[in-house]
Amino acid sequence: MTSGIEVVITGLGATTPLGGDVTSTWDALLAGKSGVRPMTHDWVEKYDLPVKIASQLVVDPTEVLPRVEARRLDRSEQVAIVASRQAWSDAGHNDDTVDRQRLAVIIGTGIGGAITLLTQDDLLETQGLRKVSPLTVPMLMPNGPAAHVGLELRAQAGVHAPVSACASGAEAIAWAYRMIMSGEADVVVAGGAEACITAIPVAGFSQARTMSTRNDEPEKASRPFDTGRDGFVLGEGAGVMVLERREFAEARGAKVYGRLAGIGTSADGYHITAPDPEGVGQSRAIAASLRSGGIDPADVGHVNCHATSTPVGDVAETVAIRKAIGDHPVLTAPKGALGHLLGAAGAVEAIVTVLSIRDGIVPQTLNLENLDPAVTLDVVAGEPRKIKLEAAVNDSFGFGGHNVALAFTPA
């Protein structure tokens, strides 16, 4: 790593089940709104799926993108484009602000173009070869969101697509940090995108018994850390950050939201879907993020948790936090309101963490009515909590034992 370099955040973009941009998402989160609603797709009843709810986008990307452009993109690519354009504009960039050979794009996804793959398979089986789109492969490939954003921005320092399940978006941001710290890029557009609310993923997660079946009360289904939690709620969306070398950002007079001070990654080596109950791998990632950022654990006032509302995962995370940081941080879990955006979750929640530092407020964990007695840390519930933060950590974990922690500090 190159010494003396700092990584700052200059632009934010998002489209989520709570809002079509960062501001509306943040406002809805603080207001205690839920993005979980009944699914109205024909296949829900056709296959008699036990899960009939999901966190669906408030603003459909086809309402934002030109019709011809939208038709040539998978839904996961659509949301990536929408969020990236917001972030790029928010950062104040234009054609002359950065050498494209010093610009990179890193957009992660957990599943990629599932909707395209399944739709085109149906067309092949029912109507034959001639009905299959020639754009099928570019639309279904997991690097599609990153590739399309990279082409639009003419990024030439690198275009990458981490695929590490629910840690993908956070890993993209960690990768951006590494590229800037190593001197490979001055500016990186990084985040995550996911849009796979369709029959096979819902059926598969249902069979694995990882999803909530609280169909009669959708808005109360996602309840991290609560004794009544029974699984996560599948969501869709995208979150994107523009990260820059501080000297570069200051030289062009950019506003700065905050600093990505350090990052940590690890793997559990434990199980394909279950986390290590002792939080060993997760705690190593958290500790590494503080170490790389030169942050004393005592200075971490807040942890934005991965907490998906599963019985095992939520408790294991608190064990890891206690090991790596201690008992003092204030916790929150945005998935209570957002649902689980899979590969986009870490990126959207990293944005929430940055805004918590900027505004000095931690959002409440929606639907936390009875804290699990196994959780002995301070989890914000009921209403947002005002708190001045010197440092905050965002956790993201994924199937396969992927662990990512991002440590942020004020600008």
Side-chain angles (χ1 to χ4, degrees):
M1 295 292 183
T2 303
S3 61
I5 293 177
E6 291 188 354
V7 179
V8 297
I9 301 103
T10 60
L12 302 174
T15 181
T16 77
L18 290 179
D21 56 23
V22 170
T23 299
S24 58
T25 297
W26 179 237
D27 290 346
L29 188 63
L30 293 177
K33 295 183 179 179
S34 171
V36 183
R37 297 179 294 281
M39 292 186 287
T40 58
H41 308 287
D42 293 342
W43 43 261
V44 176
E45 298 303 326
K46 178 180 178 180
Y47 299 117
D48 191 25
L49 296 177
V51 174
K52 304 181 187 302
I53 55 176
S55 288
Q56 300 157 93
L57 291 172
V58 172
V59 179
D60 196 286
T62 58
E63 298 175 13
V64 179
L65 301 173
R67 181 172 175 270
V68 173
E69 180 182 19
R71 289 184 62 184
R72 299 171 68 87
L73 299 169
D74 178 76
R75 191 171 176 86
S76 65
E77 296 167 345
Q78 293 172 357
V79 295
I81 288 288
V82 168
S84 295
R85 286 177 180 170
Q86 291 177 13
W88 191 247
S89 175
D90 185 44
H93 278 295
N94 57 49
D95 288 344
D96 302 320
T97 51
V98 58
D99 178 354
R100 265 40 188 184
Q101 293 185 16
R102 301 289 298 166
L103 170 65
V105 168
I106 310 174
I107 306 290
T109 185
I111 294 178
I115 294 177
T116 290
L117 176 60
L118 296 170
T119 300
Q120 295 302 314
D121 179 67
D122 287 343
L123 288 173
L124 178 62
E125 292 187 9
T126 59
Q127 300 184 47
L129 175 64
R130 292 183 180 276
K131 290 295 182 180
V132 175
S133 170
L135 296 175
T136 295
V137 172
M139 290 172 69
L140 69 82
M141 61 191 191
N143 66 309
H148 281 285
V149 174
L151 287 167
E152 175 162 310
L153 298 180
R154 294 179 287 114
Q156 297 171 29
V159 175
H160 307 287
V163 180
S164 46
C166 307
S168 301
E171 186 158 341
I173 294 170
W175 198 332
Y177 174 92
R178 290 189 177 113
M179 288 195 74
I180 294 172
M181 293 294 285
S182 66
E184 296 177 71
D186 293 319
V187 180
V188 184
V189 177
E194 201 79 85
C196 63
I197 299 177
T198 191
I200 288 293
V202 174
F205 282 130
S206 295
Q207 287 294 88
R209 301 183 185 278
T210 58
M211 297 178 70
S212 174
T213 56
R214 198 185 292 259
N215 299 312
D216 55 336
E217 295 181 297
E219 70 283 354
K220 295 185 178 181
S222 185
R223 16 190 350 107
F225 300 123
D226 190 83
T227 54
R229 67 191 185 278
D230 67 334
F232 71 85
V233 176
L234 181 61
E236 60 180 353
V240 173
M241 288 182 170
V242 177
L243 300 110
E244 305 188 28
R245 181 167 52 85
R246 183 185 284 278
E247 291 82 358
F248 185 87
E250 290 178 347
R252 68 179 188 86
K255 72 175 183 298
V256 174
Y257 283 98
R259 174 176 169 239
L260 176 56
I263 59 101
T265 60
S266 71
D268 281 354
Y270 178 77
H271 190 271
I272 190 64
T273 57
D276 182 340
E278 298 301 319
V280 177
Q282 295 177 359
S283 65
R284 285 194 294 112
I286 296 169
S289 74
L290 302 183
R291 188 167 57 250
S292 66
I295 298 171
D296 188 318
D299 293 331
V300 178
H302 169 50
V303 177
N304 186 301
C305 297
H306 181 71
T308 61
S309 186
T310 57
V312 176
D314 291 8
V315 174
E317 182 173 6
T318 64
V319 172
I321 291 169
R322 191 181 300 106
K323 285 183 177 179
I325 302 175
D327 295 333
H328 60 277
V330 170
L331 276 53
T332 193
K335 291 182 181 70
L338 287 162
H340 194 353
L341 310 190
L342 302 187
V348 172
E349 291 163 13
I351 290 172
V352 171
T353 309
V354 169
L355 295 179
S356 286
I357 293 176
R358 183 197 68 177
D359 295 348
I361 191 166
V362 174
Q364 69 275 42
T365 301
L366 198 61
N367 300 320
L368 179 52
E369 299 169 352
N370 297 291
L371 184 66
D372 188 325
V375 176
T376 59
L377 302 181
D378 183 5
V379 184
V380 178
E383 60 184 21
R385 186 180 303 177
K386 293 182 179 180
I387 178 173
K388 183 179 180 181
L389 297 170
E390 298 301 325
V393 172
N394 173 225
D395 292 342
S396 293
F397 313 124
F399 280 6
H402 305 281
N403 305 311
V404 180
L406 306 173
F408 297 97
T409 59

